[in-house]
Amino acid sequence: MLSITPTVKNLLILNILFFVVDSYIFNLTNVFALRSVFSPAFLPFQFVTYMFLHGSFGHLFSNMFGLFMFGPLLERGWGPKKFLFFYFFTGIGAGILFSGIDYFENSQVRQAVEIFTQNPTPDGLVDFMSKHAERIYEANLDFLNKFEDNPTNSGYIQQSVEFVNSYYQSLINTPLVGASGAIFGILMAFGLLFPNTELFLLFVPFPIKAKYFVAFYGLYELYAGFQNAQSDNVAHFAHIGGMLFAYILLRYWNTQKTNFY
């Protein structure tokens, strides 16, 4: 079995250290997690620091396991500096793509909030929730019914305005954390450079070639990202961003005749 490489080891240590500090000593997420550009808490350096934070032990373990399994072979081929550049390039790229899509989606919500605030009606609230807050529609059905029965009630009007503004604030202040973008970049690189390597996965009862695994995984992330399931809090477009930026960088290196070994 191949031993762990220096850069992969250091990244593992840093991620684990950040997790321990964030979970048990001092809250790092408030400052270093990636926020929406609409959020007053957004800072440019978060495109780097968000990669070292994780929401749970399971989240940390899955990412570090991927780094441990696929990272050393890439580092041996590229060398520590090139591997580290690749890691940050894909991780930052994942954050940029996620933020771009987040900007587009939250711009629409922001505009809808402004429109509703100017004319807060029951029909307007139903329209807002059906388009932008479908995941919490049923949980607020009782209030919607009361508002529809009393559309001129000043208390309900004020409550509805506070609701849409509060929902928008919750969207722009939900942090993005995790090294998943960089790990998916590593996975993409592995699939492109070692396409016929057979992988044995716990949830698949037969070996599967790396190129097929990466292709299926990428398609799933794309589907899940556009599906945007109500109970899904996974940043699928960050995963796609990591894979996309990995592909772009590898193609660029290939045109520069940069050999793997």
Side-chain angles (χ1 to χ4, degrees), residues 26-35 41 43 45-46 49 53:
F26 182 76
N27 189 321
L28 301 174
T29 301
N30 287 339
V31 177
F32 297 110
L34 180 59
R35 306 281 178 168
L43 293 166
F45 64 73
Q46 293 169 353
T49 56
L53 299 171

Side-chain angles (χ1 to χ4, degrees), residues 7-208:
T7 305
V8 169
K9 180 179 71 174
N10 290 335
L11 287 171
L12 288 171
I13 292 172
L14 280 173
N15 276 277
I16 293 171
L17 181 62
F18 268 73
F19 179 76
V20 171
V21 172
D22 186 46
S23 300
Y24 304 106
I25 301 175
F26 182 76
N27 189 321
L28 301 174
T29 301
N30 287 339
V31 177
F32 297 110
L34 180 59
R35 306 281 178 168
S36 168
V37 294
F38 288 117
S39 171
F42 168 76
L43 293 166
F45 64 73
Q46 293 169 353
F47 282 111
V48 176
T49 56
Y50 90 96
M51 299 165 55
F52 295 96
L53 299 171
H54 291 83
S56 66
F57 177 78
H59 187 204
L60 173 72
F61 178 81
S62 62
N63 279 338
M64 295 305 98
F65 183 75
L67 176 61
F68 174 79
M69 290 298 297
F70 300 105
L73 186 58
L74 297 178
E75 183 178 352
R76 287 189 180 89
W78 288 331
K81 291 182 179 179
K82 191 172 182 178
F83 174 78
L84 189 62
F85 176 83
F86 178 87
Y87 184 88
F88 279 104
F89 182 84
T90 53
I92 294 171
I96 290 173
L97 180 65
F98 176 86
S99 294
I101 293 173
D102 177 81
Y103 178 87
F104 172 76
E105 293 179 343
N106 284 336
S107 293
Q108 294 182 318
V109 179
R110 185 178 187 176
Q111 184 179 22
V113 169
E114 292 174 352
I115 293 173
F116 177 79
T117 302
Q118 294 172 2
N119 184 29
T121 65
D123 288 342
L125 184 58
V126 170
D127 184 64
F128 175 87
M129 295 189 69
S130 62
K131 290 180 179 178
H132 306 290
E134 188 177 357
R135 68 185 64 187
I136 58 174
Y137 182 88
E138 291 188 6
N140 292 275
L141 197 56
D142 183 56
F143 173 73
L144 285 171
N145 290 332
K146 291 179 180 178
F147 191 20
E148 287 179 339
D149 292 337
N150 300 276
T152 60
N153 184 292
S154 59
Y156 290 153
I157 292 174
Q158 180 63 28
Q159 193 173 343
S160 68
V161 171
E162 291 175 353
F163 169 81
V164 296
N165 279 283
S166 176
Y167 180 75
Y168 171 69
Q169 290 298 319
S170 71
L171 289 180
I172 65 173
N173 286 296
T174 299
L176 175 67
V177 296
S180 301
I183 303 305
F184 271 78
I186 289 173
L187 186 63
M188 170 64 86
F190 187 89
L192 292 174
L193 296 172
F194 307 100
N196 294 316
T197 299
E198 291 189 337
L199 303 176
F200 294 85
L201 308 172
L202 293 176
F203 50 87
V204 179
F206 52 84
I208 180 172

